[in-house]
């Protein structure tokens, strides 16, 4: 097996690892409120999220994969440089995922991957071969880096806003509610958790597919960017297996670290987060389920009693978001520097 083929196999393995870490990161985010509110047992919540995470990639289009997989032109590099670019970006994302998981903080796999791709792209092909999206923006269109950043950084803002509004709506509707309504809310968790799991699988699994498509193009296996069926199955399976394991450190931070979560918060959080994810997926913009869920939960808490939210904990989480892209960018650049010295 020559070096090029070996690197292609390595990327497939790394994509599976990336999607696995993505799965247990985001599974924790998706089930944290359902578990903290005691509306669902952990095993049931994770099983439901897992099932719908797996189904989603087979039932939606590949608009997100097209966005992520084409903003860096890997065809502008030599075979080894293009493959190194993809590997370095993946390793940057996996590294950041594992470190933040170990610390118990929810982080964005999507931001990590985007930062890693930019850093690796700057080293291997230069800024001229990265679609920054500035020219398109001047013509009223959003594409390239601008579209990626819009999806990743605007979605938490909308998550907070929608979480706030949904919570206010629920409180207005529940002013004269009876216990029967409370039981309906508990049952509605099954629908809201399922939708959130579906929206997660639909958006997040496509990022791993995009990486495989880029690697096939960089290796010369394809002439243009495309996603084979086996890549869809691999990414869906890997992210699903990761979801099955969950991340209990992150569940503790989100479910119990921000404020006392009740069933009404949990339902509002899942519905708001799923809505933001679904809208972004339809537009082809990548989102971070972690950021969306966390921002929506903060909106839920702020809508009820802002003083009950542990804002210092929230500040630590948000600070990690701002560090995500620059740290991943540096990691992607650094991995390229090291690897091209070894096999370049």
């Amino acid at each position: 097996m020559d070096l090029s083929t070996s690197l292609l196999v390595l990327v497939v393995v790394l994509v599976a690892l990336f999607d696995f870490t993505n799965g247990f990161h985001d599974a924790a985010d998706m089930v944290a409120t359902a578990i903290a509110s005691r509306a669902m047992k952990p095993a049931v919540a994770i099983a439901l999220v897992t099932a719908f995470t797996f189904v989603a990639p087979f039932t939606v289009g590949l608009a997100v994969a097209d966005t992520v997989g084409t903003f860096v032109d890997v065809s502008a590099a030599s075979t080894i440089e293009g493959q190194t670019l993809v590997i370095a970006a993946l390793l940057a994302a996996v590294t950041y995922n594992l470190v933040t998981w170990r610390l118990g903080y929810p982080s964005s796999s999507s931001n990590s991957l985007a930062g890693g791709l930019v850093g690796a792209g700057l080293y291997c092909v230069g800024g001229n071969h990265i679609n920054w999206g500035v020219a398109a923006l001047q013509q009223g269109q959003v594409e390239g880096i601008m579209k990626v950043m819009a999806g990743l950084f605007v979605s938490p803002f909308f998550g907070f806003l929608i979480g706030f509004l949904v919570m206010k709506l629920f409180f207005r509707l529940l002013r004269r509610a009876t216990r029967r309504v409370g039981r309906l809310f508990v049952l509605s968790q099954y629908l809201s958790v399922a939708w959130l799991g579906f929206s997660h699988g639909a958006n997040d699994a496509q990022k791993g597919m995009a990486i495989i498509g880029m690697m096939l193009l960089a290796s010369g296996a394809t002439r243009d960017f495309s996603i084979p069926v086996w890549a869809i199955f691999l990414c869906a399976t890997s992210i699903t297996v990761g979801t099955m394991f969950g991340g209990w450190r992150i569940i503790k931070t989100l479910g119990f670290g921000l404020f006392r979560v009740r069933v009404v918060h949990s339902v509002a959080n899942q519905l708001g987060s799923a809505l933001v994810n679904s809208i972004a997926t339809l537009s082809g913009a990548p989102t971070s389920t972690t950021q969306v869920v966390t921002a929506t939960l903060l909106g839920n808490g702020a809508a009820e009693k802002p003083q009950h939210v542990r804002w210092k904990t929230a500040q630590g989480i948000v600070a990690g978001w701002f560090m995500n892209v620059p740290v991943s960018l540096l990691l992607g650049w650094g991995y390229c520097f090291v690897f091209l010295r070894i096999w370049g």
Side-chain angles (χ1 to χ4, degrees), residues 326-340:
V327 171
S328 300
L329 188 153
L330 291 173
L331 286 171
W333 194 95
Y335 279 132
C336 279
F337 175 83
V338 172
F339 293 152
L340 286 177

Side-chain angles (χ1 to χ4, degrees), residues 310-324:
R310 297 184 180 93
W311 294 108
K312 286 187 176 180
T313 302
Q315 287 173 4
I317 294 172
V318 174
W321 295 351
F322 283 104
M323 291 174 59
N324 200 332

